[in-house]
Amino acid sequence: MAPATARPEVRTTCAYCGVGCGVLARPDGRGGLAVSGDPAHPANLGRLCSKGSALGETVGLEDRLLHPMIGGARASWDEAIGLVADRFRATLAEHGPGSVGFYVSGQMLTEDYYVANKLIKGFMGSANIDTNSRLCMASTVAGHKRAFGTDTVPGTYEDLELADLVVLVGSNLAWCHPVLYQRLAAAKAARPEMRVVVIDPRRTATCDIADMHLALAPGSDVALFNGLLARLADLGAVAEGMDTRVEGFEEAIASARADDPAATGLSPQDLEAFWFLFAGTEKVVTVFSQGVNQSARGSDKVNAILNCHLATGRIGRPGMGPLSVTGQPNAMGGREVGGLANMLACHMDLENATHRAAVQEFWQSPGLPTKPGLKAVDLFRAVESGQIKALWIICTNPAVSMPDADRVRAAIAACDFTVVSDLTARTDTARLADVLLPATGWAEKDGTVTNSDRTISRQRAVLPPPGEARHDWDILARVGRRMGWSIAFDYQCPAEIFREHAALSGIAGRFGLDFDISGFADLSDAGYERLQPTRWPVAAARQGGRFFGDGAYFTPSGKARMLALTQQPPETRLEPRYPLRLNTGRVRDQWHTMTRTARAPRLNRHIAEPFLEIHPADAAARGLAPAELARVDSPHGSAVLRVLVTERVQPGTLFAPIHWTGETAPTGRIDAVVAPVVDPVSGQPDSKASAVAVAPFNAAWYGFAVSVARPEPNAPYWARAACDGGWRTELAGLEAPDDWASAARDLFGLEPEAEALSVQDPARDLFRVAFHREGQLIAALFVASTPVAVARDHLVGLLGGDPALALSGRPGADQPDPGPVICACLNVGVNTILGAIESGRALSVETIGEALGAGTNCGSCRPEIAAILARATTPTREAAE
Ligand SMILES: Nc1nc2c(c(=O)[nH]1)N[C@H]1C(S)=C(S)[C@@H](COP(=O)(O)OP(=O)(O)OC[C@H]3O[C@@H](n4cnc5c(=O)[nH]c(N)nc54)[C@H](O)[C@@H]3O)O[C@H]1N2
Ligand SMILES: Nc1nc2c(c(=O)[nH]1)N[C@H]1C(S)=C(S)[C@@H](COP(=O)(O)OP(=O)(O)OC[C@H]3O[C@@H](n4cnc5c(=O)[nH]c(N)nc54)[C@H](O)[C@@H]3O)O[C@H]1N2
Ligand code: SF4
Ligand SMILES: [Mo]
């Protein structure tokens, strides 16, 4: 084998978030990849966050699905494609186009996505294709279309750096778009007069660079921005000549004035300070994300923000404009190909007969549906009711990520015929499939993605497809051909699909739409191979750049629309049985349902378990102490989570992460609890405001385990994470087993004769056992009647080492416990950082970096280091946590 360094470096794009960072990747010769940021990519200029830096550690083949499966048994591709084609054909013939559905994903490449959309809308004649972007970007799409006439992102990333004021609304940029956050932080460091405002009910890591944090009442953004709009009018900040570019101004102002900003729960002083700052700053960028989109009034929230930019004319000019940051790597590409049930390819409209006719002609298709298909929540309701009898789920895990997830899981399980295309059979959704198709993953795929600022980048294969895995576009095209549409789906490579999509976009361009990349319609295969990151449009009439600075919009009148909006009361009312509001979201180092990030031990070190952030007053009222377990209930389902008592959340509100699943922590599936309430305009679920109850879980025992082999816990609560050399598992139960030693052997799958050292102290309700083979620690379990206090990272480090050392659960005095990892790249724990601060060696984020290395690689942990520093130097109640 050639030495790793002799292999060519491949220029590709990160698999995760919508920042769309350029990545340089090279096989490391050990099954992984050496990965670094691409200095030439305009999104990241060489930077990567913790998840991007760890990409190379997630591509191993353990747990990969390597061949098709039918009914749980291995099958050939020929059988699998034949069965899928037959069942879809028969279902269509017998029950019509309404009886089939696709549920796809913003993590598919544009080429995959285009073929899926063409197959179901163009040839099966059904619009029942929706995507996880419905849970993610649908409110922005609806808001953009209402205001601009199209789904256009006006500005670019550079605007963040050029702005004098950046307002982050419902965005935890530090954790969710870390490289953009770093760009913003660097811009602010270079120009300290720049102002950053964070609008989020919760105090997040992003608040670290904020000059102002407005912890508004959940869901009250419309009232806040209506208040701003009224104030902008009062202060004379309305743009001159605005009425030649915008319609609906008077009505919007009248509604804004009639609204009551008291709904935000913010003090008049805080509101005034923000409004005044906004009014007085020309160069304002408002970044928004899921705190805006995932709301029962998400579309109104989007338009409330757009109203303020339209009124002031601060849009489409350098350093100004609204900027929706997209979640998934190809959320934008999905919008371009018309992945949503109510769209056609290239931003054309399914309900527009002219658009439909043009697309049908271009595809030479038998006929297109004339009405929008079912949106995600309704799609799974139709699966539940039996209306949808053949369902294909590609590149998404709805049994975990949909609201009311237990109900969705049951609906999929009961569907007549379910196909799932994934990288692994170990997902909650894949476990329900009749046919399981092995897809190639990020490192093996070739195609394009579009990031939040309309930049199209190539993903390029670095590794060969493993086993029999195939590309998603190829699988879809084979099914299309097998169903009889051999010319329409005769694709040999992604470049062909890309050219076809580009040619179709030329038609959209001729209709006067924004998405036109017809300049690529004749791109050669070699040109596609070399394609550099390019911001659309790419057409004779227009190249890249910003939209709307010229005052021309895509509405029939050519003017932008301001909307008259009113803050509505919360859709889900609190009631005595469900008195608390549950907010959900992301953590820094995990990606969604963890099928990839959780494979990298260093990404599991930051937070290894699902948790519930609860205010001290609410915790005290329920007798919940830190590190105990709490049960969260809603009318839909329940979850059990680790209690994290913190003033980061407001009284009466809770926060829980979305990442844990049946594979990693079965009772941590928070979407089981989340209400399936949707925005009436966009159909996007409100994932941030369910009414819930919280009570102690009352564990009789708590456990912590480390093991070389993957444990199979059988406990009412468990959370399992890969660590260096094995697994670390948290456990808890309501009843202690009679024999701990045998329970431990069952947990680890060990024979009765496995050698063990153990300590049992019934007086202190304590049990510890360390199993070993040939003198090396292979597994250990620590049990207590209160949350287990052992040095977890230290124990992980002992796997393969001296079992006797493990029993104490703590390192010796000469080996300080580094504590939970803060810097995932350089493996620096919180105690190490605190030690450096206490010793006076390091008193700034920079000097901590110099002393310990922490925060000096990807920089994703710098906000947390700053927070640790702030807490350590100004004691607060939280320091006691
Ligand atoms: N580490 C990591 N990064 C990711 C992802 C991941 O899984 N992990 N996923 C990617 C994807 S697909 C997406 S969509 C993005 C999401 O990126 P973000 O939208 O930044 O992430 P969230 O944590 O879902 O929610 C953002 C914030 O909205 C706040 N919020 C809740 N309710 C309200 C409200 O009523 N008003 C306001 N103003 N704020 C509110 C929450 O407290 C939360 O801090 O992240 C992307 N990046
Ligand atoms: N309560 C709550 N729920 C939420 C959210 C929230 O904030 N709160 N956020 C919502 C949002 S914004 C999003 S985007 C969704 C995300 O939710 P999902 O899309 O369900 O989550 P992922 O884990 O990203 O699922 C992707 C799946 O595709 C597989 N996969 C990866 N690459 C490929 C590939 O190339 N081909 C194929 N065929 N499969 C592949 C992965 O193994 C994984 O199983 O969750 C939504 N759900
Ligand atoms: S910010 Fe991180 S996760 Fe997002 S694209 Fe860049 S490296 Fe990937
Ligand atoms: Mo998302």
Side-chain angles (χ1 to χ4, degrees):
M1 197 185 271
T5 47
R7 289 167 193 253
E9 200 160 48
V10 175
R11 261 207 151 86
T12 183
T13 310
C14 179
Y16 302 119
C17 84
V19 177
C21 296
V23 168
L24 301 175
R26 189 202 313 264
D28 63 7
R30 299 186 305 271
L33 296 174
V35 160
S36 60
D38 180 353
H41 197 287
N44 57 320
L45 307 163
R47 297 178 176 94
L48 289 180
C49 76
S50 48
K51 295 181 300 299
S53 310
L55 271 167
E57 292 146 56
T58 63
V59 298
L61 295 187
E62 199 188 327
D63 287 339
R64 273 295 290 270
L65 175 67
L66 296 174
H67 43 74
M69 312 268 286
I70 297 176
R74 181 170 179 167
S76 71
W77 269 112
D78 192 54
E79 288 166 313
I81 297 281
L83 181 62
V84 175
D86 285 349
R87 289 296 297 260
F88 272 87
R89 191 191 299 116
T91 307
L92 283 165
E94 201 174 326
H95 304 283
S99 64
V100 300
F102 285 8
Y103 185 64
V104 301
S105 161
Q107 294 167 68
M108 294 165 84
L109 303 180
T110 298
E111 292 75 3
D112 302 327
Y113 228 140
Y114 177 85
V115 179
N117 201 51
K118 180 177 178 181
L119 178 59
I120 185 159
K121 287 198 184 119
F123 289 80
M124 295 189 182
S126 172
N128 287 342
I129 174 169
D130 213 36
T131 129
N132 60 4
S133 284
R134 182 70 59 195
L135 319 181
C136 183
M137 306 311 308
S139 297
T140 290
V141 174
H144 281 166
K145 287 173 83 169
R146 292 200 297 188
F148 309 146
T150 53
D151 175 22
T152 315
V153 172
T156 70
Y157 290 161
E158 291 80 61
D159 293 328
L160 274 181
E161 287 152 337
L162 297 172
D164 294 321
L165 168 63
V166 173
V167 184
L168 297 155
V169 195
S171 155
N172 185 5
L173 205 72
W175 280 11
C176 296
H177 299 89
V179 165
L180 278 189
Y181 176 83
Q182 286 173 39
R183 284 179 63 166
L184 178 62
K188 192 169 194 298
R191 283 194 300 121
E193 66 280 12
M194 184 181 195
R195 290 286 166 266
V196 175
V197 176
V198 172
I199 298 173
D200 192 315
R202 194 169 62 110
R203 197 170 80 233
T204 63
T206 305
C207 296
D208 172 44
I209 53 164
D211 299 286
M212 194 186 287
H213 169 215
L214 297 180
L216 79 179
S220 64
D221 304 69
V222 171
L224 178 66
F225 281 90
N226 264 346
L228 171 60
L229 184 61
R231 207 77 184 93
L232 288 170
D234 294 344
L235 292 170
V238 171
E240 266 176 47
M242 196 249 343
D243 49 353
T244 61
R245 298 187 297 270
V246 173
E247 56 196 25
F249 176 78
E250 296 300 339
E251 297 83 343
I253 296 283
S255 292
R257 287 197 202 285
D259 217 348
D260 185 0
T264 61
L266 296 168
S267 71
Q269 293 77 4
D270 284 350
L271 287 168
E272 275 302 321
F274 168 56
W275 292 338
F276 204 71
L277 180 63
F278 193 110
T281 315
E282 177 76 352
K283 290 190 172 176
V284 184
V285 170
T286 306
V287 174
F288 57 97
S289 186
Q290 298 315 344
V292 171
N293 291 331
Q294 289 173 339
S295 158
R297 304 287 162 191
S299 308
D300 284 358
K301 288 188 181 186
V302 171
N303 286 101
I305 293 170
L306 300 184
N307 275 351
C308 295
H309 281 272
L310 290 171
T312 50
R314 296 172 189 161
I315 185 164
R317 294 188 285 146
M320 298 177 220
L323 177 64
S324 145
V325 281
T326 53
Q328 300 176 90
N330 203 27
M332 290 283 274
R335 284 147 71 175
E336 290 152 23
V337 302
L340 293 162
N342 48 339
M343 285 161 52
L344 264 186
C346 304
H347 286 187
M348 283 184 272
D349 216 326
L350 188 72
E351 288 181 282
N352 179 320
T354 317
H355 292 181
R356 264 199 323 270
V359 175
Q360 185 179 350
E361 158 81 20
F362 181 85
W363 280 345
Q364 292 287 296
S365 99
L368 294 178
T370 54
K371 290 270 171 299
L374 297 168
K375 301 186 177 105
V377 169
D378 293 334
L379 183 85
F380 286 101
R381 287 282 159 81
V383 171
E384 180 181 62
S385 74
Q387 179 202 321
I388 289 184
K389 297 174 194 310
L391 174 70
W392 192 349
I393 298 168
I394 307 175
C395 199
T396 175
N397 195 358
V400 182
S401 57
M402 285 286 295
D404 205 356
D406 287 348
R407 185 166 169 190
V408 169
R409 185 168 64 179
I412 301 171
C415 186
D416 284 358
F417 185 64
T418 305
V419 185
V420 173
S421 303
D422 206 296
L423 311 178
T424 169
R426 290 194 86 111
T427 82
D428 292 14
T429 305
R431 290 189 186 280
L432 309 173
D434 297 297
V435 179
L436 198 47
L437 302 175
T440 51
W442 167 76
E444 302 129 21
K445 290 176 78 124
D446 255 307
T448 54
V449 289
T450 309
N451 73 3
S452 301
D453 82 344
R454 286 181 279 115
T455 301
I456 300 173
S457 298
R458 281 293 317 271
Q459 278 193 8
R460 295 185 175 88
V462 198
L463 297 169
E468 296 178 12
R470 283 195 173 143
H471 306 307
D472 286 307
W473 64 263
D474 186 29
I475 303 172
L476 285 152
R478 281 170 197 264
V479 169
R481 294 201 292 272
R482 192 70 77 91
M483 290 183 76
W485 302 301
S486 47
I487 300 170
F489 295 96
D490 182 25
Y491 300 117
Q492 303 304 317
C493 64
E496 256 178 74
I497 304 166
F498 183 77
R499 283 191 290 269
E500 183 179 314
H501 184 220
L504 180 54
S505 77
I507 296 176
R510 287 201 287 286
F511 287 140
L513 293 178
D514 58 340
F515 181 72
D516 184 346
I517 56 165
S518 54
F520 287 138
D522 299 315
L523 191 70
S524 65
D525 289 358
Y528 182 74
E529 203 32 63
R530 285 194 307 268
L531 186 66
Q532 297 299 311
T534 311
R535 182 174 298 128
W536 64 257
V538 185
R542 192 165 196 161
Q543 299 276 337
R546 298 181 176 85
F547 279 95
F548 309 141
D550 57 2
Y553 293 87
F554 295 94
T555 53
S557 66
K559 292 185 184 182
R561 291 186 210 111
M562 284 176 63
L563 266 68
L565 303 166
T566 307
Q567 175 70 44
Q568 302 292 333
E571 201 63 23
T572 321
R573 301 295 170 93
L574 301 179
E575 47 174 297
R577 247 184 100 191
Y578 300 110
L580 299 170
R581 205 160 281 292
L582 173 70
N583 174 9
T584 61
R586 291 151 171 81
V587 305
R588 192 189 78 192
D589 287 355
Q590 294 298 347
W591 178 260
H592 296 168
T593 69
M594 296 167 73
T595 61
R596 291 175 287 169
T597 40
R599 299 162 66 94
R602 68 162 139 146
L603 297 182
N604 293 336
R605 281 198 216 119
H606 180 235
I607 296 173
E609 205 185 0
F611 58 88
L612 181 72
E613 289 185 354
I614 183 168
H615 189 271
D618 293 319
R622 287 162 183 79
L624 285 166
E628 289 181 356
L629 292 167
R631 192 186 145 106
V632 185
D633 282 293
S634 79
H636 307 281
S638 62
V640 178
L641 306 164
R642 187 73 61 182
V643 173
L644 205 162
V645 179
T646 171
E647 287 174 351
R648 285 193 291 262
V649 290
Q650 300 179 21
T653 72
L654 307 162
F655 176 83
I658 61 172
H659 307 288
W660 278 269
T661 71
E663 297 293 324
T664 48
T667 60
R669 298 169 64 252
I670 198 64
D671 266 305
V673 179
V674 173
V677 169
V678 302
D679 173 318
V681 180
S682 67
Q684 175 155 357
D686 187 332
S687 318
K688 306 272 191 253
S690 296
V692 302
V694 173
F697 174 71
N698 289 328
W701 59 273
Y702 293 84
F704 174 74
V706 290
S707 54
V708 172
R710 175 160 36 204
E712 296 300 339
N714 173 22
Y717 174 84
W718 59 266
R720 176 173 70 189
C723 60
D724 285 313
W727 298 84
R728 49 174 290 180
T729 309
E730 301 287 344
L731 301 138
L734 296 167
E735 232 175 291
D738 297 336
D739 176 1
W740 272 114
S742 97
R745 276 193 298 272
D746 289 348
L747 169 68
F748 299 124
L750 293 170
E751 306 297 318
E753 51 275 13
E755 289 182 83
L757 303 171
S758 66
V759 185
Q760 184 138 23
D761 180 351
R764 289 167 54 217
D765 288 327
L766 199 118
F767 174 78
R768 296 177 170 196
V769 61
F771 294 97
H772 52 99
R773 194 173 287 145
E774 290 159 14
Q776 295 182 343
L777 180 72
I778 54 168
L781 172 67
F782 302 79
V783 182
S785 57
T786 52
V788 176
V790 292
R792 285 160 166 75
D793 287 287
H794 164 72
L795 289 168
V796 166
L798 290 182
L799 280 173
D802 183 347
L805 286 179
L807 276 192
S808 75
R810 297 232 152 258
D814 54 330
Q815 275 177 293
D817 170 18
V821 165
I822 298 297
C823 173
C825 297
L826 292 140
N827 193 14
V828 184
V830 64
N831 294 343
T832 313
I833 295 173
L834 284 170
I837 298 169
E838 276 156 21
S839 72
R841 270 194 302 150
L843 289 169
S844 69
V845 176
E846 269 59 44
T847 49
I848 288 173
E850 284 161 24
L852 308 171
T856 57
N857 185 42
C858 81
S860 301
C861 60
R862 291 169 66 92
E864 279 165 284
I865 297 175
I868 293 168
L869 201 60
R871 280 208 298 272
T873 43
T874 32
T876 65
R877 259 197 280 168
E878 241 183 82
E881 255 176 46

